[in-house]
Amino acid sequence: MEGMINHPLKKYFRGDINYTTCSGCGNGIISQAILWAIDGLGIDFNQFAFVSGIGCSGWIPSPSYNTDILHVTHGRSIAFATGLKLAIPRMKVLISVGDGDTAAIGGNHFIHACRRNIDLTVICVNNQIYGMTGGQVAPSTPYHSKTTTTPYGSIERPFDLSQVAISAGATMVARWTTFHARQLRKSIAKAILHPGFSFIEIISQCPVQYGKVIGKRNNAVDMLLEYKKNSIDFNKAKELPKDELENKILVGEFIENRDVPELTQEVKRLRKEAMHQCQK
Amino acid sequence: MKNNSKICTADFIQGNIACAEGAIMAGCKFFAGYPITPASEIAHHLSKRMLEVEGTFIQTEDEISAIANIIGASWGGVKSMTATSGPGISLMLENIGLAVVTETPCVIINVQRGAPSTGSPSIHLQGDILQSKYGSQGDYQIIALAPASPQEMFDFTIEAFNLSEQYRTPVFVLSDSLIGHMRERVEFPHQTDLCLMKRKVLKHYQGIHQKIFLDEEVAPMPIFGEGLRANITGSTHKEDGFRNVSSPEILDNLIKKLSNKIFNHRKQIIRIEENDLDDAEVVIISYGLTSRAVLESVRIARKEGMKVGSFRPITLWPFPEEAIEDLSKQVRTIIVCENNLGQFYTFVKAAACENCQVRFLPPKILGTLYHPEEILSEVKEVI
């Protein structure tokens, strides 16, 4: 059509697909942040593979992105991605997962990938709830929340996923909310280039299921404004008294450590040693 | 292994080591596994050998991760394998279903042990026969080979890779703790004498709706990293990989095409070892380690003038239904010997369609070897 211009990110899409996210979902903001980051880096999109878990977050790359996509079982995407990365270390492997994938069913794979420092980038969409299955409590849901499986309020304390990643040995960890689209894009670009395991946690709105829990049903804008109001740079937070930090979301790039050996490089080194010993 | 290969070297080794060497010879470049008795020696050996052949070895955090790793590696274009025992298979089953549905070639070694549950790690049992066929949810076909010796652990591991590459599907090797730990002479063929199958791969990107799945003659596999824009999902999908979870027609198409891919080629896949069947009135069906006791019993029975033969499926799945039906029309009695409560027996009885008598004879104590006398006295009862 005359006068029509294409979205600058359209070239990254497979096309011919119906999108399934609810209106107001944070997935769109995150998807743009990923693609703008890749666009800015100028790396051929064919060099990227995306591995998806099960849940709304899996639909960010799958099947929409026009490159290699592996959409697997719930919680296991990091394990599939580990095999893929070890088989083709030259590929940039990104994993799009939710808080359930990461902290509940896939918790074991998550901490071990951190420990191994394998060069993968995990984009963790933390909407603090099980969205797709109908608003059940997640390991990331705040204490006392009323969800479809905690009608009297949740009695378990949530994980701080970024802190779990740091403790388990991840070498690049950042957290933003969907309000911080620009910072998010920059951190994702950094994570893609980071030679080790990078974990990007994004607190993202689910106006349908989590909106219901906090009295903001179907109100994405209010949820984003809430993120703006409640977010605080983690460095600034260090100087604040504890009571001022209640209900705050600490954001920023927590760590970036390039001195830790990366797994695929370690495998390469071992192969050389093994072949050397074999020839003796 | 029908490779017409000349022997290159021979060694006196354990079944598990023979299996690991078979994987190396088949060109496997990726092993992922979690320690478990009685399969660990496979990992021990490959942790060294894999690196010597420029491959990758990873000890994963659990068996769920091990199977996920080998599926991921297979999409990266390398032949991959894991080895475990029953408890590990139980953990792997969800992702084995994913391997079936995404048509991912890979090899799964199950060195069976006493079960259910934690069971008895060092007792040999043929307890996971139905698990390999029906363990993951839904209808699907699987290929499973049952070795009876260290030599066959070597040979069948190579064959498992060949079948897996040819049909783009996971393949089981169903060994057990006794074969895994047994030491016997194993002959290795010369690498150049081996016939190794290679998967059919997609060579060029053919557009958004390129056909990469659900061809009964096996669709080409789009290996990652080649610009082929693979669209792979464990959800119900069409030939182009696009998901559709609302149409029963698309689900029906997926289930039937996937199943037919194996089922329609069963004549090429199924391998059977037959002995003394020509004039046999009684035939003993057995597989794996059990078949060795049966062979000995048949030898003794023949010496004593009894018309007894043996029938040993090397491939347990797909089930050799036609061959057993034909057999049931020729003989008076079939005796099924297996080290469990009759997992294969049920299938044999159904295939025999009441054409002949079908009897089940487990070892006197499950988890022990048969004494030929046990089998012979059963034979004498029916002959």
Side-chain angles (χ1 to χ4, degrees):
Chain A
M1 245 185 292
E2 215 181 315
M4 280 270 281
I5 54 161
N6 279 331
H7 191 286
L9 296 177
K10 194 183 171 194
K11 59 187 171 191
Y12 296 113
F13 284 83
R14 214 179 279 272
D16 207 11
I17 295 160
N18 292 323
Y19 294 92
T20 49
T21 47
C22 310
S23 63
C25 175
N27 273 9
I29 298 171
I30 298 165
S31 185
Q32 287 223 35
I34 296 169
L35 293 174
W36 278 122
I38 289 170
D39 203 60
L41 291 171
I43 303 171
D44 180 6
F45 204 40
N46 284 330
Q47 291 307 308
F48 286 86
F50 289 83
V51 184
S52 276
I54 297 292
C56 306
S57 55
W59 300 112
I60 292 176
S62 167
S64 322
Y65 290 1
N66 201 13
T67 186
D68 295 326
I69 305 286
L70 187 60
H71 199 151
V72 296
T73 44
H74 189 31
R76 316 299 171 200
S77 32
I78 293 177
F80 283 89
T82 300
L84 181 63
K85 179 72 185 182
L86 284 165
I88 337 184
R90 68 180 159 83
M91 277 203 105
K92 297 276 183 197
V93 181
L94 273 72
I95 299 150
S96 181
V97 280
D99 41 321
D101 266 322
T102 307
I105 187 165
N108 202 22
H109 311 308
F110 169 48
I111 56 172
H112 285 275
C114 293
R115 174 179 70 85
R116 291 186 181 114
N117 194 33
I118 179 167
D119 184 11
L120 301 170
T121 297
V122 173
I123 310 281
C124 176
V125 182
N126 182 358
N127 58 10
Q128 303 171 284
I129 196 96
Y130 283 90
M132 190 176 276
T133 45
Q136 297 86 0
V137 70
S140 47
T141 308
Y143 191 46
H144 287 327
S145 298
K146 285 189 178 168
T147 72
T148 50
T149 49
T150 53
Y152 301 106
S154 60
I155 52 172
E156 297 172 15
R157 291 167 306 137
F159 267 133
D160 180 331
L161 294 181
S162 290
Q163 287 305 322
V164 172
I166 294 166
S167 313
T171 47
M172 195 222 152
V173 179
R175 172 162 56 213
W176 298 105
T177 77
T178 38
F179 179 79
H180 304 90
R182 291 213 174 107
Q183 294 93 324
L184 177 59
R185 170 187 159 181
K186 279 184 196 156
S187 288
I188 292 174
K190 240 188 215 179
I192 289 168
L193 295 179
H194 177 73
F197 187 82
S198 48
F199 181 72
I200 309 285
E201 180 186 1
I202 307 136
I203 308 293
S204 174
Q205 75 278 13
C206 172
V208 176
Q209 301 293 1
Y210 194 62
K212 207 161 59 181
V213 175
I214 55 167
K216 296 191 186 305
R217 188 173 192 172
N218 296 339
N219 197 338
V221 175
D222 267 13
M223 289 179 83
L224 281 166
L225 291 173
E226 196 88 348
Y227 291 157
K228 181 188 178 188
K229 196 177 83 189
N230 290 336
S231 297
I232 182 161
D233 182 287
F234 80 101
N235 275 317
K236 280 185 195 154
K238 284 176 190 163
E239 294 147 23
L240 294 174
K242 230 182 175 181
D243 57 324
E244 272 185 52
L245 293 176
E246 214 169 296
N247 299 323
K248 295 288 183 205
I249 305 165
L250 302 192
V251 294
E253 290 177 356
F254 298 110
I255 55 158
E256 196 188 354
N257 183 356
R258 298 171 80 95
D259 301 331
V260 180
E262 189 274 332
L263 188 73
T264 60
Q265 296 301 320
E266 289 283 89
V267 172
K268 259 189 204 166
R269 180 177 64 78
L270 277 191
R271 276 182 198 147
K272 266 189 199 156
E273 275 178 28
M275 278 188 284
H276 184 69
Q277 279 191 23
C278 195
Q279 282 157 4
K280 266 187 197 169
Chain B
M1 195 78 202
K2 301 275 178 273
N3 268 306
N4 303 320
S5 44
K6 284 166 265 162
I7 302 162
C8 176
T9 51
D11 207 349
F12 187 73
I13 53 169
Q14 212 186 48
N16 281 343
I17 307 298
C19 166
E21 281 299 323
I24 295 287
M25 204 157 252
C28 174
K29 294 286 186 211
F30 191 97
F31 179 90
Y34 187 83
I36 188 167
T37 306
S40 293
E41 294 83 2
I42 299 172
H44 297 172
H45 196 69
L46 287 177
S47 64
K48 187 167 184 289
R49 292 286 282 134
M50 229 3 123
L51 293 167
E52 290 171 0
V53 296
E54 275 190 275
T56 305
F57 171 91
I58 181 169
Q59 183 173 318
T60 50
E61 56 276 18
D62 56 28
E63 287 90 344
I64 301 173
S65 180
I67 181 83
N69 263 271
I70 70 165
I71 295 169
S74 186
W75 282 102
V78 299
K79 292 184 183 178
S80 60
M81 177 174 106
T82 185
T84 185
S85 188
I89 299 290
S90 292
L91 286 175
M92 290 181 184
L93 285 167
E94 186 190 17
N95 285 338
I96 290 172
L98 185 116
V100 170
V101 131
T102 56
E103 304 185 51
T104 309
C106 56
V107 171
I108 304 154
I109 312 290
N110 180 359
V111 188
Q112 297 168 94
R113 65 189 221 177
S117 190
T118 312
S120 313
S122 56
I123 293 180
H124 71 285
L125 197 72
Q126 296 174 318
D128 307 341
I129 307 304
L130 292 182
Q131 182 197 43
S132 61
K133 173 74 178 83
Y134 289 107
S136 202
Q137 68 269 25
D139 276 309
Y140 59 92
Q141 291 281 340
I142 202 89
I143 301 175
L145 304 161
S149 63
Q151 179 71 55
E152 288 185 349
M153 278 196 80
F154 175 83
D155 294 343
F156 292 6
T157 302
I158 297 172
E159 180 133 349
F161 273 103
N162 278 347
L163 289 165
S164 141
E165 292 287 310
Q166 192 175 356
Y167 296 104
R168 245 187 93 179
T169 196
V171 176
F172 273 102
V173 176
L174 290 172
S175 177
D176 68 42
S177 67
L178 208 62
I179 311 164
H181 288 158
M182 180 192 293
R183 281 177 168 81
E184 278 184 336
R185 179 184 160 85
V186 175
E187 296 173 347
F188 305 107
H190 215 284
Q191 184 82 51
T192 47
D193 292 331
L194 275 178
C195 164
L196 296 180
M197 301 295 297
K198 266 194 189 147
R199 66 188 72 172
K200 203 198 292 177
V201 292
L202 187 71
K203 293 207 172 77
H204 309 284
Y205 175 65
Q206 289 171 5
I208 181 171
H209 297 299
Q210 56 187 354
K211 293 197 177 344
I212 51 174
F213 289 109
L214 305 178
D215 183 337
E216 291 178 7
E217 294 307 316
V218 190
M221 185 170 173
I223 300 302
F224 278 38
E226 311 279 327
L228 300 169
R229 299 165 204 187
N231 179 9
I232 318 301
T233 176
S235 293
T236 306
H237 50 262
K238 298 175 287 181
E239 281 77 359
D240 54 13
F242 276 97
R243 166 189 193 260
N244 181 318
V245 294
S246 54
S247 155
E249 284 77 16
I250 287 170
L251 175 65
D252 176 89
N253 182 58
L254 176 131
I255 296 170
K256 288 178 182 163
K257 290 258 177 73
L258 271 182
S259 182
N260 285 342
K261 183 179 73 171
I262 307 298
F263 189 72
N264 292 352
H265 293 100
R266 64 192 183 281
K267 288 217 165 76
Q268 289 97 291
I269 298 169
I270 291 173
R271 275 182 58 198
I272 292 158
E273 202 178 88
E274 300 173 334
N275 281 296
D276 299 306
L277 285 189
D278 288 344
D279 61 342
E281 291 168 5
V282 174
V283 169
I284 308 169
I285 297 184
S286 67
Y287 52 86
L289 187 62
T290 303
S291 66
R292 293 175 70 159
V294 167
L295 265 188
E296 177 64 8
S297 309
V298 168
R299 196 185 59 81
I300 298 168
R302 281 279 167 182
K303 250 189 192 168
E304 293 177 18
M306 291 181 272
K307 289 182 174 172
V308 183
S310 70
F311 178 103
R312 173 199 172 198
I314 283 170
T315 41
L316 301 187
W317 312 113
F319 182 73
E321 188 176 339
E322 285 100 337
I324 291 178
E325 191 184 345
D326 290 347
L327 185 70
S328 71
K329 289 173 186 160
Q330 294 165 27
V331 301
R332 219 169 51 221
T333 305
I334 290 174
I335 301 169
V336 180
C337 287
E338 53 183 336
N339 199 347
N340 57 43
L341 287 184
Q343 298 191 18
F344 212 63
Y345 163 70
T346 323
F347 282 79
V348 173
K349 197 162 165 64
C353 304
E354 301 192 350
N355 292 323
C356 71
Q357 184 189 22
V358 183
R359 294 169 69 115
F360 172 53
L361 179 73
K364 204 167 261 168
I365 293 171
L366 288 177
T368 61
L369 291 168
Y370 283 87
H371 287 282
E373 301 84 63
E374 285 172 62
I375 300 172
L376 284 169
S377 77
E378 181 82 0
V379 169
K380 280 172 191 158
E381 217 172 281
V382 296
I383 209 142

